[in-house]
Amino acid sequence: MAKILIVDDEPDMLKLLSMILREKTSYETTTTNNPLEAIELMKQGGFDLVISDLKMPGLDGLEIIDAVRKIDEDIPVIIITAFASLESASEAIKKGGFDFITKPFRREQILFTIDKALKWLKLQKENKALKEQIKKSEG
Amino acid sequence: MKSLLISLIEKYHPFNIRYFKSLVVLAITSLSGIVLVLGWMSSKNVREVVTEDFNQQQLLLARHAASQIENSIEVLKRELLLLSLSPSIQYSEAPSLMNRMNITFSSIKHEGTLGIGFIENETQKFYHVRDKHKCPLANLYHGDIDYLKWARLEENKGNILLTDVTPVLSLSDDQSQILIMKMISPVWQISVDASHPVATNKFAGALIFVVDAGYLIKKITKEIRSGKTGYAWVIDENGMFLYHQETSFISKNAFEARIGKQPTISFDRINEIQQEKMLKGKEGASWYVSGWHRGLEGEIKKLIAYTPIKLNDNTKDRIWSIAVVAPISEVEGAIYSIYVQHNTLQALVIFVILSGGLFINFIILSWSNTLEKEVTKKTADLKKSEQKYKSLVENAEDIIFSIDYNGNFLSINKYGARFFDKTEEDIVGHNLSEILSWPSAETFLLVIQKVFETKESQQITHLVIIGERQCWFSTNLRRLFDEKGNIYAVLGISRDITERRKIEEHSYYTEKLASMGTLAAGVAHEINNPLGVILGFTDLLLEKAPPDSQEYDLLKTIERQGLNAKRVVENLLNFARHKEHKEEFVDINKNIETVLAVMNNTLLINKISVKKQLEKNLPTVKADSAELQQVFFNIINNAIHAMQRGGVLTIKTMSFNNDTVEISFADTGHGIKKEHRNRIFDPLFTTKEVGKGTGLGLSVSYGIATKHRGAITFETKTKEESEETGTTFIIAFPTAYSEQVETK
């Protein structure tokens, strides 16, 4: 079962997101309102997807992307932002963010994006495994 | 008094060319006059000096001749006395008596003596020797006896008697007239000789010399030359000519002879000289008018010098007079050369003066010509510059005027007059209060008077009310000085800054919008977070509530209001968002069509028909299509809202001079209320019902238009103002072409 890490400085938002995921999916969610703690959790490993707010005190969404990619470059990061500026969104994509969602969002929107990201991750992993098999068979 | 003096000086000071020229002419004339007068006086003087000199010489000649004549007579007197002392004569001793007389005669006959006679007292016998050809004295005349009587008188002893000169006919063949004068000496027997050892002292007789006085005088005087042609003449004490160059005058009366010869000429002057001077034995020099001179005839002025010839006669004053005369032309020769020199000099001086004058005149003339040219040029320049300034003032887009302390206009330029909808005549001479309405005239006058009083220029921005019209002026006030440095007016330059103020207000709006944008962005972020949470949970709850329950209804209401809030925030964000602004060449017509296509349904539902009057081949505009569409959308949306019961929306596009594109949206709605008109561009201002409008549409549109260097204006009529109500929004953008030109 996929494990999702949700980072937002707003506890209510964390609650909402985890509730949506719990009710509509079978994914395992971990939430934190402290971006620094999120990095620590990531290091412990085991997460398949990160959902992060863009604007947070201490560490913002873009820095989260950087940190996640350092740990595992395959793990997709979805950015949620209330500050729906094209500039910040495109920067998030450039940094390697998987997608971005603007607040307030519809439930379907977030669920669809999560599905998409996890499918992508699965494909990525399969792709890697296949590549390794090829390497082995070639080797 | 002082000003009179100044004006006089200004009028007559030497640099006033007209007077200066007159002055030069006057100076030349008077100088020439002085030279001429001096020359004339000097000539007169020279003439007098030369004449005087000449006459002195004539006088010398006359004196010399007179003394010669006197001498000759004196010699004869001595001879006569000498002969009377001869014993041969005293005692009548023939023949020695005749011998003695012959001896004497031979020695004196060349002196003009014609003969010698002796009348013996006792016998009355007449002994004589003579020039037989001339001397008429052959016998004893009766008159001669009278001489004897005179000689016999004791008191006449030793004296000599001279008779009057008498003309007689000569015995010579030509029978010419000769002038005879007799000299008589008494003879007393006072000498001794051998035969008369003792003197008897008896009276013996009278000894007579017959003298040709004419000859004697002529011998001396005929050689006299005064100058080249001057000659001498002699008259006796009776006025008879004893000698004259004109021989026919000799023996004639001097007072008659001349008039006899030239009866037409007045000889008063010479007659007076003869009468008053010469006959009275005086010496002197003068002039007179004669009728001839040697061969010449006519009125001739002559110079005369005269001196007496004194013949010592014991009996009476026997004084002749000799005159030396010469025509004035003799002197004129001498004077002439002096005259020539003199006149040459004079002419030279006058020439110098005249040429000096002419030169000065020339200088003045050329100077004044240059001056005149300069003045003409300067005048033209001045005129040009005046015209330039005038046209500058007249064509200025400012109101330029001068005004006095009481607020009366002294001048105003055309633009100013036009601005007040009046002619210059309607304004000049009129008071500020007649042109401007209360209280703008009064406050303005206070500022003007302040300039007069404080002597400082003023720069003010003030409200001006002209009838119903209200304008903002930016006015510069400064003092104007007259020639004496007194302030006589204030010059004002006013600029109508009403439009500028509007623009300034607009830019104030724009700034306000920008800050609103920043604020909105922050607010949007802060609101979106809770809104997201609210909507998210509502969504979750809606799923759990049965659709027909009251909870479901309530949750739906929460969701709806939440979504409203979301839209407001979205609009706010749109307004504030620094979205990437991408400008390209845009066809306005195409964008209008796009928006209309999107809104087609809405328009239909609201029963609004659209009239399109789109100009073909409209110039492109450099703009962001999406933003333009947003503007069109907002305005059409407002129009739909204004036409709640349907209506006509007319959309027009047109271009001006290829540099401006104008888009107008005219609706037939209810119009914008007066009190709203100033606020429609304000962010968050809306007339729509709560929830239907955000109050951002027009301010966003305004921001977009401004960003595209364009402008939005509107005209509106409500039912209070017109039967045909409606609002027209006009958006103007510069064309891409005009912007290229500008950047170039």
Side-chain angles (χ1 to χ4, degrees), chain B residues 516-731:
Chain B
M516 281 294 295
T518 318
L519 190 67
V523 169
H525 184 251
E526 293 309 317
I527 288 174
N528 268 343
N529 265 326
L531 207 55
V533 176
I534 291 166
L535 282 172
F537 281 116
T538 310
D539 196 26
L540 278 177
L541 284 175
L542 270 172
E543 227 178 30
K544 288 173 182 164
D548 47 359
S549 66
Q550 199 191 1
E551 286 82 4
Y552 187 87
D553 265 0
L554 292 175
L555 284 170
K556 267 291 175 193
T557 310
I558 293 171
E559 187 183 44
R560 201 171 57 244
Q561 292 301 335
L563 288 173
N564 264 344
K566 183 188 163 194
R567 207 178 63 241
V568 170
V569 172
E570 257 169 21
N571 271 328
L572 264 176
L573 277 174
N574 268 342
F575 172 68
R577 178 163 50 199
H578 299 287
K579 224 175 16 180
E580 202 175 358
H581 176 76
K582 234 169 139 186
E583 287 195 356
E584 53 207 348
F585 296 107
V586 167
D587 180 351
I588 296 273
N589 288 345
K590 212 181 256 177
N591 278 291
I592 288 171
E593 296 285 6
T594 308
V595 173
L596 282 176
V598 171
M599 302 187 82
N600 200 21
N601 270 330
T602 326
L603 288 163
L604 271 176
I605 292 164
N606 286 287
K607 296 170 191 163
I608 290 163
S609 64
V610 176
K611 274 190 194 169
K612 287 184 282 183
Q613 296 173 4
L614 307 181
E615 187 179 295
K616 279 180 186 172
N617 302 323
L618 198 68
T620 55
V621 169
K622 208 162 174 233
D624 185 321
S625 270
E627 289 180 2
L628 282 192
Q629 286 172 21
Q630 195 184 344
V631 172
F632 301 156
F633 179 89
N634 286 340
I635 289 170
I636 295 171
N637 206 28
N638 284 344
I640 294 169
H641 184 255
M643 296 185 283
Q644 305 257 332
R645 292 173 193 171
V648 183
L649 175 66
T650 310
I651 303 174
K652 271 190 220 174
T653 56
M654 61 203 104
S655 63
F656 296 100
N657 297 331
N658 216 22
D659 55 36
T660 310
V661 169
E662 219 176 77
I663 311 117
S664 72
F665 299 88
D667 65 47
T668 56
H670 49 60
I672 304 166
K673 286 183 188 164
K674 265 191 181 171
E675 60 266 34
H676 294 157
R677 285 174 194 169
N678 282 335
R679 303 182 57 199
I680 59 166
F681 291 110
D682 281 4
L684 304 175
F685 174 80
T686 182
T687 59
K688 294 182 185 125
E689 297 155 42
V690 176
K692 288 204 170 167
T694 58
L696 291 168
L698 277 179
S699 52
V700 166
S701 302
Y702 188 90
I704 292 170
T706 312
K707 197 154 72 183
H708 287 87
R709 303 154 297 279
I712 301 182
T713 56
F714 67 95
E715 289 163 9
T716 186
K717 290 267 157 59
T718 56
K719 62 184 176 194
E720 286 84 22
E721 293 168 301
S722 170
E723 281 180 19
E724 287 180 13
T725 59
T727 303
T728 306
F729 274 88
I730 300 157
I731 313 162

Side-chain angles (χ1 to χ4, degrees), chain A residues 42-43 45-48 50 64-77 96 120-121 124-125 128:
Chain A
M42 272 303 296
K43 281 180 182 165
F47 291 104
D48 300 304
V50 178
I64 292 278
I65 294 172
D66 279 345
V68 171
R69 293 196 70 77
K70 270 182 197 162
I71 295 161
D72 186 342
E73 58 171 7
D74 288 338
I75 294 174
V77 181
W120 180 83
L121 178 67
Q124 200 73 3
K125 277 181 177 167
K128 260 189 184 167

Side-chain angles (χ1 to χ4, degrees), chain A residues 1-49:
Chain A
M1 204 52 356
K3 279 177 79 180
I4 301 173
L5 176 64
I6 307 172
V7 195
D8 198 318
D9 60 326
E10 182 62 61
D12 284 346
M13 185 54 79
L14 289 175
K15 200 172 161 190
L16 174 68
L17 280 169
S18 57
M19 207 168 161
I20 291 170
L21 290 176
R22 209 168 46 235
E23 285 185 6
K24 294 292 166 184
T25 66
S26 52
Y27 306 138
E28 194 182 312
T29 57
T30 307
T31 61
T32 174
N33 67 346
N34 184 349
L36 296 169
E37 191 193 23
I39 303 298
E40 288 307 310
L41 288 167
M42 272 303 296
K43 281 180 182 165
Q44 286 165 23
F47 291 104
D48 300 304
L49 175 66

Side-chain angles (χ1 to χ4, degrees), chain B residues 392-423:
Chain B
L392 210 66
V393 167
E394 289 300 335
N395 296 324
E397 296 274 291
D398 288 328
I399 302 161
I400 301 173
F401 60 93
S402 57
I403 199 160
D404 70 10
Y405 185 83
N406 298 319
N408 294 318
F409 279 98
L410 302 176
S411 70
I412 189 156
N413 66 340
K414 273 186 192 139
Y415 180 85
R418 233 179 10 246
F419 188 86
F420 292 118
D421 280 330
K422 287 183 162 44
T423 61

